[in-house]
Each structure stands twice: as structure tokens, then as C-alpha cells.
Amino acid sequence: MASQLQPARGTRDLVGEDFARHHHVITTARRIASLYGFEEWATPIFEDTRVFSRSLGETSDVVSKEMYTFPDRGGDSLTLRPEGTAGICRALVSNGLTQGNLPRKVFYAGPMFRYERPQKGRYRQFHQIGCEILGASEPLSDAEAIACGWHIQEELGISAGTVLEINTLGDAASRDAHRAALVSYFSGHREALSADSQTRLEKNPLRILDSKDPGDKALVADAPSIHDHLTEAARAHYDAVRRFLDGFGVPFRVNPNIVRGLDYYSHTAFEFVTDRLGAQGTVMAGGRYDGLVEEMGGPHTPSVGWAAGIERLSMLCEAAPAAPRPVAVIPVGEGAEAAAISAVQLLRRAGVAAEVAYKGNTKRRMERANKLNARAAVLIGEDEAARGVAQLKDLDAGTQREVALAELATALAGG
Ligand code: ATP
Ligand code: MG
């Protein structure tokens, strides 16, 4: 035998209960998002590298260390998508959807790829669901996007364990003033900064606020706050978002330290966090990104959205709803096999999950039915087949009765 092969580091198979949970998260999110008017899009898993390098920021962790970037055979630089928003904005522009019929609400679900150190809740191929409201600048849209995310968590039964933390990053003028204050503050502590953050001080001082280095974090605690540099418009937007969150009934707490790891955010930034997943405490995160569609070559299209890790949501969920219990159709004697096959198809076409074992005598097939956790057995012998009936056995109650084949689907419906 050849040596066994394993999934690549940081990737995992979704098998059995893992897939059931994964699927449950997506179908629940899709159903709730559609109540809020989100339509679903699917964009390619790889894109021109510039889709991400332009938008996420050259100095962001994702672009500087985590992207799977490779030249394809034609010499173009391609990247496996590390997140979904940039591709959705690119698609809005590529499909000529930037004029008219805005805002557009888009839901997506799919795999993302980041070269990270794998640990619980952190993988190299992971999966996200996300919602984007494209072409809306009003604070009501920020609050509605968040409310939809909260509703999905409620529906998944995990909202008791998560908390919404919200902050504002201000508008461009607020950020310019804040940046100047940060540069002057961190320049005074240059020696104490990590090497990465010394580089950030030159290239993008705001990034220091998102540093995971403990020494940097201590300095960040006393750094000037964006809240001291907000323009009147930025403050008004932030106040309105919080007021609307109250209106939607979404509880939150203000966390002035949320900056988000990607460059494209302005105004609202938020994270739903939990203490139930150890270090990987952020389950859903997002904010307002007013300049991103322009980066993709489209017109100014203010937008807001979020993404959530399906693996982290799945870990918080109780078990996924069980698959429907099948009905086992059992031919009694070889001459009844054809009748059994047509009965199993009749049930499936009526929307009833049904199985017919590939081999075995009646006893073996009954054992198989029990293994499958079948709710009922339909026994058909040659005599029954000739009379157009079957014996219907309720495997929970142990009762048995004769049913006409024509009535079988009705008798088993809704199980
Ligand atoms: P973190 O701080 O945990 O690295 P992030 O800020 O990089 O998260 P985002 O880019 O905002 O994450 O992605 C949104 C969500 O996607 C995260 O809150 C998380 O639930 C999930 N996520 C991000 N990276 C991973 C990963 N490598 N593995 C699993 N889930 C992930
Ligand atoms: Mg990250």
C-alpha cells in the first residue's frame, strides 16, 4: 500500500457532523439574509492580485504576509481570495451594476485562503458568510447590516454567547488629524515599538493600533484616540448608527480600540466577539468601506458590510438539525425486488427519504433499516406486489398495517 496522504496543513475535510453544521450555518444565514433583501452572488475563488493588493492595503497583515499569490501559466499574478468584499466590489464594477438600482444588498458564502499559523478556529482554507450593502451612505444601512448579522446569530442559537463591539474610524479628515497625532505620539516611543510597528510608523501608523505584539499593545493603550479627532459629520454618523441599533434591538458596547485589519474601512467598525473560542474570539466583523468600489475602477459607492467565519460560528452552535429519518423498503423474496424498487422511487418522488438495501434476506434488511435509524419499513412480498399493497411497519411504535401502494406516499408524508 502506498503511504497515506493527509489534507494540506491548515485545511480540513468537512465530513459527517462537521459538514452538517457548516451547511446549517450557510442555509440559516442565507434564509435570514433574504428576509432583509440580500441577493446571493458567487465570485471566483481566485482574482487578479491587484483586486486585493489595491484595496486591503499593502501594509495589512493579509496582503503583507497571508496571501496565496502565484503566477499562472500565462504570467499573470493571481491570488486565492483572502476575503470576500474586494471581489464583490470588483464584480459590481465588472458587471456594470454601479449605476441605478442602488443600494444593492449582496450575500455570499464560500472558501477563503490565508497563509496563517493554523490553530483552533484559524485555518489556511476557511469559509465565510458575508453581507454587503453597496451604494448606501446612510447610517441606517450600517445598522441594518449589523442587525441582519445579529439576527443570523440569534437564529443559530449562539447570540447569548456573543457581544457586539462597535467603534468609529471617522472620515478622511478625522483620520488625517488622528494620524498626525499618532505619528507624534509613537515617534516619541519609537525605541519601544516592535520592528514591524517601526515600519508601520513610516508607512501606515494606524496599523500599529491593530498590532498583536504585547509591547505595542501597552503603548497603544495610551495612544491618542480617534474620538478626540472626529469631524462633526463623522460624529453625527456614529451617533446615528448607535441610535438605529437601539431601534433594531441589537445590544452593543462601545470599544474605542477596534480598528480592523484592513485599510478600506471608514466610519463604522464592529466585531461580534465571544469568550467561548479561546484566542480566536472574533466571529463576525465588518464596517463601512466608502472608497473600495472606486479602487476597483467604479464610481464613488459608499458601502457597508461584514463577514463571519463559518468554522467559528459552527463551533458555537449546538448540533445541526438531524437529517430526515428514511423509510426502508424491503422486498420479501426475490420476485418482489422490482416492486420494491418502484415503491422506493415512488416515495422519493413524493419527497420522502427512502432506501432499499442492495442485498440480503429480509432479516438482514431489517437490521440494515435499524442501522439507518429508519422510521418505518415497507415490506413487499410477491403476494403484496400482485395485490398492489405493502405492509407498512412503524419502527418506533412497532405497529403494522396494510396500505395500498397508491396510498403509501400519503401515509408516510410529513415524517
Ligand atoms: P483575526 O483577528 O481572528 O485574524 P481578522 O480580523 O483577520 O480575524 P476578518 O478579515 O475580519 O478577520 O474576517 C472576518 C472573520 O472571518 C473573522 O472574524 C473570523 O471569524 C473569520 N476568519 C478570519 N481569518 C480566519 C482564519 N484564518 N480561519 C478561520 N476563520 C477566519
Ligand atoms: Mg487575521
Side-chain angles (χ1 to χ4, degrees):
M1 260 198 286
S3 65
Q4 269 189 25
L5 297 173
Q6 298 298 326
R9 187 164 144 77
T11 70
R12 50 202 282 279
D13 300 311
L14 292 172
V15 174
E17 174 69 12
D18 286 336
F19 185 86
R21 283 164 178 264
H22 184 95
H23 183 68
H24 175 58
V25 169
I26 295 176
T27 52
T28 303
R30 179 179 283 141
R31 177 168 55 80
I32 300 303
S34 82
L35 300 177
Y36 287 73
F38 288 87
E39 55 178 314
E40 186 163 351
W41 289 7
T43 61
I45 283 173
F46 57 82
E47 297 266 4
D48 183 318
T49 297
R50 289 171 295 182
V51 168
F52 308 110
S53 59
R54 270 193 201 174
S55 56
L56 314 192
E58 295 284 357
T59 55
S60 66
D61 277 359
V62 171
V63 173
S64 62
K65 335 183 203 178
E66 296 174 359
M67 291 207 308
Y68 280 93
T69 296
F70 56 96
D72 80 353
R73 286 168 192 273
D76 296 324
S77 178
L78 299 178
T79 294
L80 299 184
R81 63 181 186 193
E83 58 100 60
T85 307
I88 296 287
C89 290
R90 199 268 311 133
L92 185 83
V93 177
S94 308
N95 290 278
L97 301 173
T98 56
Q99 305 298 331
N101 205 17
L102 294 176
R104 238 183 146 106
K105 299 178 181 177
V106 179
F107 170 83
Y108 65 86
M112 307 293 162
F113 305 86
R114 296 184 193 179
Y115 191 79
E116 302 206 66
R117 197 167 68 77
Q119 43 197 303
K120 184 187 167 205
R122 189 177 296 286
Y123 309 98
R124 291 182 173 174
Q125 176 174 336
F126 62 103
H127 300 78
Q128 286 181 334
I129 51 168
C131 281
E132 317 287 1
I133 302 180
L134 304 159
S137 60
E138 298 79 5
L140 182 51
S141 61
D142 306 48
E144 189 183 51
I146 295 171
C148 177
W150 175 244
H151 194 161
I152 290 168
Q153 293 175 62
E154 286 181 317
E155 204 67 14
L156 289 171
I158 65 170
S159 57
T162 63
V163 176
L164 168 62
E165 296 191 335
I166 187 164
N167 189 26
T168 182
L169 305 174
D171 51 18
S174 320
R175 286 173 82 155
D176 286 347
H178 186 215
R179 184 178 299 110
L182 287 174
V183 169
S184 116
Y185 170 79
F186 285 120
S187 299
H189 298 87
R190 177 184 285 276
E191 314 302 71
L193 285 172
S194 68
D196 272 352
S197 284
Q198 292 188 8
T199 313
R200 291 178 183 127
L201 183 55
E202 307 301 327
K203 293 191 174 155
N204 191 348
L206 267 172
R207 274 274 89 73
I208 302 175
L209 301 179
D210 201 32
S211 172
K212 306 219 157 80
D213 177 90
D216 290 350
K217 277 188 171 173
L219 287 175
V220 164
D222 293 324
S225 161
I226 181 75
H227 292 262
D228 299 328
H229 300 278
L230 289 180
T231 61
E232 211 163 297
R235 186 173 302 283
H237 187 96
Y238 186 42
D239 290 345
V241 171
R242 285 174 298 157
R243 202 170 62 241
F244 286 129
L245 283 175
D246 287 337
F248 279 110
V250 181
F252 64 89
R253 70 176 175 227
V254 166
N255 178 353
N257 295 323
I258 291 181
V259 285
R260 308 296 308 124
L262 307 175
D263 270 5
Y264 51 58
Y265 290 112
S266 58
H267 288 292
T268 313
F270 62 89
E271 298 187 348
F272 284 90
V273 296
T274 179
D275 56 12
R276 298 185 184 178
L277 294 178
Q280 272 55 254
T282 307
V283 291
M284 182 180 281
R288 173 159 285 285
Y289 49 92
D290 289 348
L292 191 48
V293 173
E294 254 168 309
E295 298 276 357
M296 299 299 157
H300 182 62
T301 310
S303 304
V304 62
W306 52 259
I310 297 177
E311 286 79 3
R312 295 185 196 176
L313 292 171
S314 300
M315 286 190 280
L316 291 174
C317 285
E318 302 291 327
R325 295 171 68 194
V327 170
V329 179
I330 298 178
V332 181
E334 272 188 19
E337 216 151 32
I341 292 167
S342 78
V344 83
Q345 277 315 79
L346 180 136
L347 288 173
R348 289 169 175 166
R349 292 205 189 287
V352 176
E355 293 273 349
V356 60
Y358 300 141
K359 61 169 195 217
N361 58 24
T362 307
K363 179 163 170 277
R364 275 284 158 77
R365 289 172 191 257
M366 278 306 281
E367 285 166 9
R368 173 84 189 144
N370 287 325
K371 277 223 176 79
L372 291 173
N373 191 27
R375 61 189 168 105
V378 171
L379 295 128
I380 307 178
E382 280 179 62
D383 162 60
E384 275 92 1
R387 290 192 292 123
V389 299
Q391 302 302 323
L392 173 55
K393 186 165 183 177
D394 183 318
L395 293 178
D396 294 329
T399 53
Q400 187 169 322
R401 64 189 167 106
E402 190 171 286
V403 176
L405 286 172
E407 305 293 327
L408 198 55
T410 317
L412 286 163

